């Protein structure tokens, strides 16, 4: 059950996208998302589609795998679309009881659906092709300027990478505990809400106990190796921009330029 | 009860880049009252295999028959099977959650639908079986030592009165005394109640003294399935897959190499001592 979640997971590979500097990919994702919300014409979406499909093809992550990540968001998306359909004021197209479906609503709902889908696909490509470690490395060095504003960038990045690192471990542990309790006849699937919440106790108690034990061990192991926070800490693999990263920046600039040109010259 | 496994295959992460064949065409039968040791290196598939016995894992292909009934047939009472095949996981930390030892052991029997009194009766009986006396009843299971936690975990399964007891590495991480204690408890249980025991381990020493049949797994396949003496005669093959025969086997081999007329079928220390004394007596040494 838990293993079916693909969103936010790393998909091992050695494609060009996998090898790009994480800062490039972070900025790229950010630029792409901003472009989705600034340029909202048919031609702009067409260009975004081409861009997404190209990146997916280059990354060699199966499209099927990426689309599977959309599943958990589906309900959220449906609610957003329905709200937009019926709550946007404008010319009524269809009226069901007191609910008015408006022309503006339909247009807005389509926009929202496209944006949300691309938003998720865009950010999934980032997480699929970047290991959590290099992602936090990228964040740490990309946001290094915030240190001057007394934001503890290193500490936040370290917490993030530890949290990310522990997600698969805790998922795995949850699975094991579920099995151990199922072997004793525990039933997590059936029954009403109250029953199900109660059935979670034999799962959550061992999970918390083990999470605290792990946190303790990790803190000890870090201190034993002389960890004292970010100041003066060197990297084993410092982030350096290579040629392919500069080219990627150029491609990004090209994408933004193309969007602006479309906005000016193509009016659909 | 008899568990018959036929051409069982199990593949992890089917359809992803992590796809891995964990079990490869396994066929074997576990008969009532046996004491079986399953041995294999880390990743040989032994834990995966035993989780099929109570239906926690579902085979990718192949069949499992319990008392002649196919457990993958629609409507098979899978939950009942979990009570009949008691599975003790490797780390007791994964199942202990209650405030007292007694309550924790009661979890299984209560899930079987027994009343509080019946469940407590079963729990107390199970505690006696694993050698935990009454003053443990009210203690918090989290305060116990590793060996005692493991006893609580085993008692938690025994309280369900299973017909087959399957244990995944019950001695991992225990000191030598804790290990001998746990294995002694299992041997006594097997002798006194006639329960079928399946013991998973990566240590030959663990199973050599206790099991009457040993199944060796390697890369998801059954390599040997025989009585201990026969299995241990393949010392080189066992070593090549990262296992070893019990130390006694090596001693006896060395003695034979020196010209002593000792039997090679010896697998336990007690038998070895007798055998050596026998040879000495024949040679006219007073002992």
């Amino acid at each position: 059950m838990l293993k079916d979640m693909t969103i936010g997971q790393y998909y091992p590979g050695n494609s060009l996208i996998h090898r790009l500097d994480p800062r490039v990919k972070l900025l790229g994702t950010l630029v792409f998302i901003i472009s989705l919300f600034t340029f909202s014409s048919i031609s702009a979406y067409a260009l975004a589609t081409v861009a997404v499909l190209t990146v997916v093809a280059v990354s060699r992550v199966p499209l099927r795998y990426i689309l599977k990540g959309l599943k958990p968001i589906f309900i959220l998306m449906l609610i957003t679309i329905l709200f937009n359909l019926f709550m946007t004021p404008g010319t009524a197209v269809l009226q069901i009881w007191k609910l008015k479906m408006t022309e503006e609503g339909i247009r807005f709902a389509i926009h929202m659906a496209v944006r949300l889908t691309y938003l998720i696909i865009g950010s999934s490509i980032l997480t699929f092709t970047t290991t959590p470690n290099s992602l936090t490395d990228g964040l740490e060095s990309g946001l290094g300027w915030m240190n001057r504003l007394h934001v503890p960038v290193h500490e936040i990045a370290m917490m993030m990478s530890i949290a990310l690192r522990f997600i698969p471990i805790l998922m795995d542990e949850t699975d094991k505990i579920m099995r151990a309790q199922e072997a004793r006849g525990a039933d997590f699937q059936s029954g009403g809400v109250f029953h199900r919440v109660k059935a979670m106790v034999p799962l959550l108690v061992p999970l918390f106990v083990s999470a605290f034990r792990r946190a303790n061990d990790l803190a000890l192991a870090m201190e034993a190796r002389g960890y004292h926070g970010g100041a003066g800490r060197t990297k084993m693999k410092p982030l350096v921009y290579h040629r392919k990263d500069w080219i990627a920046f150029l491609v990004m600039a090209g994408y933004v330029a193309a969007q602006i040109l479309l906005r000016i010259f193509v009016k659909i | 009860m008899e568990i018959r496994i036929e051409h069982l295959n199990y593949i992890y992460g089917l359809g992803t880049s992590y796809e891995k064949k964990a079990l490869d065409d396994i066929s074997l039968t576990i008969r009532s009252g046996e004491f079986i040791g399953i041995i294999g290196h880390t990743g040989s598939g032994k834990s995966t295999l035993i989780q099929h016995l109570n239906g926690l894992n579902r085979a990718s292909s192949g069949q499992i028959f319990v008392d002649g009934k196919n457990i993958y047939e629609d409507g098979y009472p899978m939950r009942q099977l979990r009570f009949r095949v008691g599975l003790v996981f490797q780390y007791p930390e994964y199942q202990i959650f209650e405030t007292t030892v007694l309550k924790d052991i009661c979890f299984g029997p209560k899930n079987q639908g027994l009343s509080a009194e019946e469940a407590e009766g079963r729990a107390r009986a199970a505690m006696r079986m694993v050698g935990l006396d009454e003053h443990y009843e009210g203690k918090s299971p989290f305060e116990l030592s590793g060996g005692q936690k493991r006893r609580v975990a085993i008692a938690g399964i025994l309280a369900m009165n299973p017909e087959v007891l399957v244990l995944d590495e019950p001695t991992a991480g225990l000191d030598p005394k804790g290990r001998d204690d746990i294995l002694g408890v299992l041997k006594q249980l097997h002798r006194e109640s006639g329960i079928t025991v399946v013991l998973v381990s990566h240590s030959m020493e663990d199973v050599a003294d206790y099991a009457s049949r040993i199944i060796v797994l390697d890369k998801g396949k059954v390599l040997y399935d025989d009585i201990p003496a026969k299995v241990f005669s393949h010392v080189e093959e066992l070593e090549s897959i990262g296992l070893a025969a019990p130390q006694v086997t090596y001693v006896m081999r060395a003695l034979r190499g020196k010209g002593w007329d000792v039997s090679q079928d010896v697998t336990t220390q007690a038998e070895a001592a007798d055998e050596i004394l026998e040879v000495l007596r024949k040679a006219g040494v007073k002992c």
Side-chain angles (χ1 to χ4, degrees):
Chain A
M1 177 190 72
L2 294 169
K3 297 224 161 79
D4 292 338
M5 291 267 285
T6 58
I7 189 167
Q9 267 183 16
Y10 177 65
Y11 187 92
N14 195 29
S15 71
L16 178 64
I17 306 283
H18 281 83
R19 281 180 281 123
L20 279 181
D21 190 291
R23 289 170 293 183
V24 176
K25 286 188 267 190
L26 276 164
L27 184 71
T29 311
L30 195 68
V31 165
F32 178 69
I33 290 171
I34 292 172
S35 83
L36 282 178
F37 285 85
T38 20
F39 307 102
S40 56
S41 60
I42 294 171
S43 53
Y45 287 150
L47 181 60
T49 310
V50 172
V52 163
L53 289 179
T54 317
V55 174
V56 170
V58 175
S59 76
R60 297 217 194 93
V61 180
L63 191 61
R64 186 172 48 88
Y65 207 74
I66 295 173
L67 295 179
K68 231 167 87 183
L70 287 173
K71 250 199 283 180
I73 319 293
F74 188 71
I75 303 280
L76 178 83
M77 199 133 93
L78 211 67
I79 294 170
T80 319
I81 290 173
L82 284 178
F83 259 90
N84 278 313
L85 268 183
F86 291 104
M87 296 300 175
T88 319
T91 9
V93 183
L94 188 75
Q95 185 143 13
I96 311 164
W97 184 51
K98 273 186 184 162
L99 293 170
K100 260 194 295 184
M101 193 196 274
T102 60
E103 208 183 296
E104 287 79 359
I106 294 172
R107 194 173 305 140
F108 213 73
I110 293 172
H111 279 310
M112 269 333 268
V114 173
R115 279 175 187 170
L116 270 178
T117 314
Y118 281 18
L119 183 89
I120 291 156
I121 292 179
S123 40
S124 326
I125 294 171
L126 175 69
T127 52
F128 276 136
T129 59
T130 321
T131 60
N133 273 341
S134 66
L135 197 61
T136 40
D137 272 358
L139 270 179
E140 189 180 344
S141 109
L143 298 178
W145 52 272
M146 285 173 86
N147 263 325
R148 279 186 220 131
L149 309 174
H150 298 289
V151 179
V153 177
H154 169 79
E155 278 71 18
I156 293 172
M158 180 57 87
M159 278 193 265
M160 253 183 72
S161 62
I162 291 174
L164 286 170
R165 178 68 192 82
F166 270 67
I167 289 173
I169 293 178
L170 290 180
M171 291 247 260
D172 211 50
E173 215 137 75
T174 311
D175 191 59
K176 276 190 187 148
I177 296 167
M178 269 175 110
R179 281 159 182 267
Q181 302 298 28
E182 273 174 336
R184 296 208 282 170
D187 186 3
F188 297 109
Q189 259 94 45
S190 59
V193 177
F194 185 69
H195 179 87
R196 276 199 209 193
V197 171
K198 239 182 104 185
M200 292 302 270
V201 174
L203 173 63
L204 291 179
V205 173
L207 191 62
F208 271 93
V209 169
S210 124
F212 276 108
R213 191 170 37 84
R214 276 180 191 283
N216 237 326
D217 290 353
L218 181 70
L220 223 105
M222 283 169 78
E223 278 186 5
R225 287 190 274 174
Y227 178 77
H228 55 81
R233 196 171 145 82
T234 54
K235 293 256 173 228
M236 190 166 130
K237 290 182 208 155
L239 292 174
V240 182
Y241 289 118
H242 293 284
R243 217 164 72 120
K244 58 179 180 296
D245 300 313
W246 295 116
I247 295 171
F249 277 131
L250 281 179
V251 172
M252 246 182 261
Y255 171 74
V256 174
Q259 284 287 21
I260 293 170
L261 289 176
L262 277 180
R263 173 78 161 255
I264 298 169
F265 296 108
V266 186
K267 291 274 185 307
I268 38 167
Chain B
M1 89 195 259
E2 186 194 77
I3 304 174
R4 196 169 83 240
I5 300 172
E6 285 183 359
H7 304 293
L8 186 82
N9 286 289
Y10 186 75
I11 299 162
Y12 270 115
L14 201 62
T16 68
S17 56
Y18 299 104
E19 193 173 302
K20 185 180 174 272
K21 195 159 195 180
L23 294 176
D24 189 355
D25 195 31
I26 304 252
S27 294
L28 50 93
T29 303
I30 297 168
R31 284 172 290 271
S32 192
E34 278 191 306
F35 195 130
I36 299 178
I38 298 183
I39 293 269
H41 206 253
T42 313
S44 60
K46 47 196 198 305
S47 295
T48 313
L49 173 64
I50 57 165
Q51 287 182 33
H52 281 86
L53 298 179
N54 68 351
L56 279 176
N57 276 343
R58 200 190 162 93
S60 305
S61 70
Q63 310 294 339
I64 297 177
F65 298 92
V66 173
D67 286 337
K69 286 208 184 78
N70 188 341
I71 68 165
Y72 294 137
E73 225 154 60
D74 285 342
Y76 187 89
M78 204 55 109
R79 202 150 165 251
Q80 290 308 313
L81 182 67
R82 305 228 163 115
F83 298 129
R84 294 175 69 196
V85 181
L87 177 58
V88 185
F89 276 75
Q90 184 168 1
Y91 295 107
E93 290 81 6
Y94 288 143
Q95 65 171 59
I96 287 172
F97 71 99
E98 272 288 6
T99 47
T100 71
V101 169
L102 189 70
K103 276 196 204 166
D104 200 87
I105 299 174
C106 281
F107 182 65
K110 274 194 185 148
N111 283 331
Q112 281 176 294
L114 297 180
S115 71
E117 293 86 61
E118 280 177 297
E120 279 185 17
R122 289 261 199 99
R124 291 206 169 90
M127 282 178 70
R128 249 175 279 128
M129 282 190 248
V130 298
L132 290 169
D133 56 43
E134 298 88 44
H135 88 274
Y136 282 106
E137 281 178 14
K139 278 199 177 181
S140 163
F142 295 102
E143 291 168 0
L144 302 179
S145 72
Q148 281 161 337
K149 270 188 197 160
R150 222 150 284 191
R151 285 175 197 236
V152 173
I154 297 174
I157 299 295
L158 282 175
M160 306 189 306
N161 275 357
E163 295 161 59
V164 179
L165 181 65
V166 186
L167 304 109
D168 193 354
E169 307 245 6
T171 59
L174 292 185
D175 53 32
K177 181 167 184 310
R179 164 189 170 262
D180 289 346
D181 285 352
I182 291 285
L183 292 174
V185 163
L186 294 180
K187 191 171 190 178
Q188 198 186 355
L189 259 175
H190 178 248
R191 204 172 42 222
E192 284 171 7
S193 64
I195 189 171
T196 312
V197 179
V198 178
L199 176 65
V200 173
S201 179
H202 62 263
S203 152
M204 281 293 180
E205 308 287 338
D206 274 5
V207 293
D209 288 353
Y210 303 96
S212 55
R213 174 180 164 201
I214 290 179
I215 296 168
V216 179
L217 286 185
D218 181 43
K219 297 191 188 93
K221 282 191 172 115
V222 175
L223 195 65
Y224 301 113
D225 179 358
D226 215 326
I227 57 166
K230 287 267 171 60
V231 171
F232 297 148
S233 63
H234 305 279
V235 178
E236 285 82 18
E237 290 90 339
L238 289 174
E239 281 176 352
S240 75
I241 59 165
L243 296 170
Q247 285 164 359
V248 173
T249 314
Y250 292 100
V251 172
M252 295 318 250
R253 283 183 135 226
L255 285 174
R256 281 180 73 85
K258 297 251 178 209
W260 287 51
D261 184 28
V262 289
S263 159
Q264 254 185 346
D265 295 344
V266 167
T267 57
T268 69
Q269 285 179 25
E271 284 170 15
D274 289 345
E275 186 75 21
I276 293 170
L277 285 173
E278 186 64 34
V279 172
L280 286 174
R281 260 190 218 106
K282 270 191 207 151
V285 181
K286 281 248 159 89
C287 52

